[in-house]
Amino acid sequence: MLRHAIADPARAIPASIYDEWSYALPGPRSPLVIAEPDAVRAILLDPGATFGRNRPLRTLMRRAWGNGLAAAEGESWAAQRRAAAPAFRPSAIAAAMPVMTAATRHAAERWPCGESVDLQPALGRIVARIVLETLLSDARDWDSDAIAADIPEVMRDVARFGLLEVAPIPAAWLDRLRRTGRSDAEARLRRIARDIAARAPTEPHHLTALLRDVGPLADNLFGFMIAGFETSALGAAWALYLLALHPDWQAAVRAEATDAPDDTTRPVARAVVQEALRLYPPGPLLVRAATRETELLGHRIRRGQTVIIPVFAIHRHRRLWADPDRFDPGRFAPAGHYPRGAYLPFGAGPRLCIAAGFATAEIATIVAGLVRDLHFTPTGAAPVVSLKVSTHSTTGLHVTAQPVA
């Protein structure tokens, strides 16, 4: 069970959780899987600090963020989050839209039509350019395609987990044994983060300026670089692949983008994105550990025991969603309906992803811009879904594209 959980959590979570509200894995202190929405909210909102991060999650955050925002705790986290918040307000997202549109148009004009393309790296290059030119502000001196090529390698290094990660080994020893952070790809990205930090602009609306005096700026820039890439690139790839599988919805997104090119609300495209994030949430699992003994859904939870919130399963739970495995963006249309507390693509509570609104707008802009000019069809083998750290396909998401007549 432990080997399966480390290799890919999808293999350790029982299939029954798609019908049931909880599942206790074998053993008195084994993880407890919780899918009931009210119980999930109690864990994530948790005003009594009964649940915190477990050791593997803290290790993952430390590798990606150092002492930056997503890894910080307590007042350090609160101060960094308050400082960064203006960069993700609706006005800031609106200001970033022209960059998103330009990056998408640039990619559409150079798309290799007629060739089979894996959407995961292809859309990653668009996202890398957007992240550099918006969140990291004055970063046009760097090659966004090269950065997009480096980030997956860094993410694999960050997400390398085994028995060592659950053993009581000091962090410095663990990093030395794993050789964490020693790849050429990570060295290049950290050098870029340090260079941007050294010449951070003073304009108050830039993320780099907002975070200059709170927390380690280079750590934060590195964290936003890889986290902003991973979430949006995968979300956009899944959304576009689903449109390739469903030409009727692809035509609806194209009509919206063609008939109202200046309407940045994009209700159809956003509904498609939200449904894609339901079926393939960027963070498929949320993990917490009990800080003291408690009880939940009739289960006794001991101090230090891990609680798993299976977001992927909650998004497809048969007691929450009608026909849960079907792609139906109508669930998120203005007149649609989805169950309260059952949609968690960016988490919930105080640790809700600070860039959730930015990412949703970014993915919708990319998908709408590409579909407006290109028609996509699936090709190759069906995706093999993995839930290790992020929801991704181990075999790629392959499509072919042709110009729209």
Side-chain angles (χ1 to χ4, degrees):
M1 178 70 73
L2 184 58
R3 284 200 306 273
H4 288 338
I6 290 170
D8 191 338
R11 299 171 63 190
I13 293 179
S16 63
I17 202 63
Y18 291 86
D19 292 288
E20 300 174 0
W21 292 135
S22 64
Y23 183 90
L25 294 171
R29 290 185 177 272
S30 294
L32 176 66
V33 184
I34 296 290
E36 200 278 325
D38 288 338
V40 168
R41 282 197 298 274
I43 295 168
L44 296 179
L45 273 62
D46 188 26
T50 304
F51 297 94
R53 293 177 167 186
N54 68 348
R55 187 173 186 272
L57 180 57
R58 289 197 303 270
T59 297
L60 174 65
M61 292 295 106
R62 176 179 55 79
R63 288 173 177 173
W65 288 84
N67 294 313
L69 174 60
E73 302 285 350
E75 181 52 35
S76 175
W77 165 78
Q80 292 184 59
R81 189 173 179 99
R82 284 194 302 269
F88 301 101
R89 290 174 180 162
S91 58
I93 296 172
M97 295 292 282
V99 174
M100 299 178 188
T101 301
T104 304
R105 184 179 300 116
H106 180 271
E109 291 170 351
R110 291 159 178 78
W111 197 275
C113 291
E115 299 179 18
S116 179
V117 172
D118 182 359
L119 289 172
Q120 293 176 147
L123 298 194
R125 290 190 286 272
I126 303 175
V127 170
R129 180 174 175 178
I130 293 171
V131 169
L132 283 174
E133 295 187 15
T134 56
L135 296 183
L136 305 186
S137 62
D138 187 19
R140 294 179 180 83
D141 292 347
W142 288 277
D143 183 346
S144 59
D145 287 354
I147 290 172
D150 279 340
I151 288 177
E153 181 181 343
V154 173
M155 286 300 301
R156 286 191 294 270
D157 194 25
V158 165
R160 185 180 295 123
F161 281 89
L163 293 177
L164 288 176
E165 275 68 28
V166 296
I169 299 174
W173 294 11
L174 177 62
D175 289 348
R176 189 173 297 113
L177 289 169
R178 284 288 186 210
R179 299 183 61 82
T180 303
R182 300 187 185 183
S183 70
D184 291 341
E186 182 162 340
R188 286 190 291 268
L189 295 187
R190 288 199 180 276
R191 184 166 56 249
I192 291 171
R194 288 193 299 269
D195 288 347
I196 296 172
R199 60 180 194 180
T202 57
E203 293 88 340
H205 61 282
H206 282 153
L207 181 65
T208 45
L210 293 168
L211 289 170
R212 179 194 289 274
D213 298 321
V214 290
L217 183 54
D219 281 0
N220 271 317
L221 296 179
F222 179 81
F224 275 111
M225 194 185 303
I226 62 174
F229 172 92
E230 183 79 356
T231 298
S232 295
L234 285 175
W238 281 115
L240 196 55
Y241 187 77
L242 286 166
L243 288 180
L245 292 173
H246 298 86
D248 52 339
W249 280 104
Q250 185 175 170
V253 173
R254 180 176 299 117
E256 178 183 68
T258 303
D259 296 342
D262 298 325
D263 181 5
T264 57
T265 61
R266 299 189 176 95
V268 178
R270 281 178 176 266
V272 165
V273 170
Q274 288 175 291
E275 178 70 343
L277 295 175
R278 181 187 72 84
L279 290 170
Y280 301 100
L285 303 172
L286 298 173
V287 182
R288 298 291 185 267
T291 59
R292 54 175 172 260
E293 188 167 308
T294 187
E295 185 176 307
L296 203 59
L297 298 181
H299 297 278
R300 178 190 176 193
I301 302 175
R302 294 172 171 84
R303 184 176 181 272
Q305 188 172 350
T306 296
V307 176
I308 298 173
I309 299 170
V311 175
F312 186 89
I314 292 170
H315 283 189
R316 295 169 181 253
H317 203 282
R318 286 182 274 271
R319 292 168 68 176
L320 293 170
W321 303 87
D323 200 359
D325 295 322
R326 181 168 62 94
F327 175 68
D328 179 15
R331 305 176 204 267
F332 297 95
H337 172 74
Y338 60 90
R340 177 176 175 266
Y343 185 64
L344 305 163
F346 299 104
R351 289 279 181 173
L352 172 73
C353 175
I354 194 171
F358 185 98
T360 301
E362 179 184 21
I363 297 169
T365 300
I366 292 171
V367 169
L370 291 176
V371 164
R372 185 191 61 188
D373 298 330
L374 301 168
H375 179 77
F376 293 89
T377 55
T379 186
V384 175
V385 179
S386 169
L387 304 186
K388 186 172 183 181
V389 181
S390 61
T391 307
H392 61 282
S393 169
T394 60
T395 54
L397 297 170
H398 295 275
V399 298
T400 57
Q402 296 294 342
V404 173

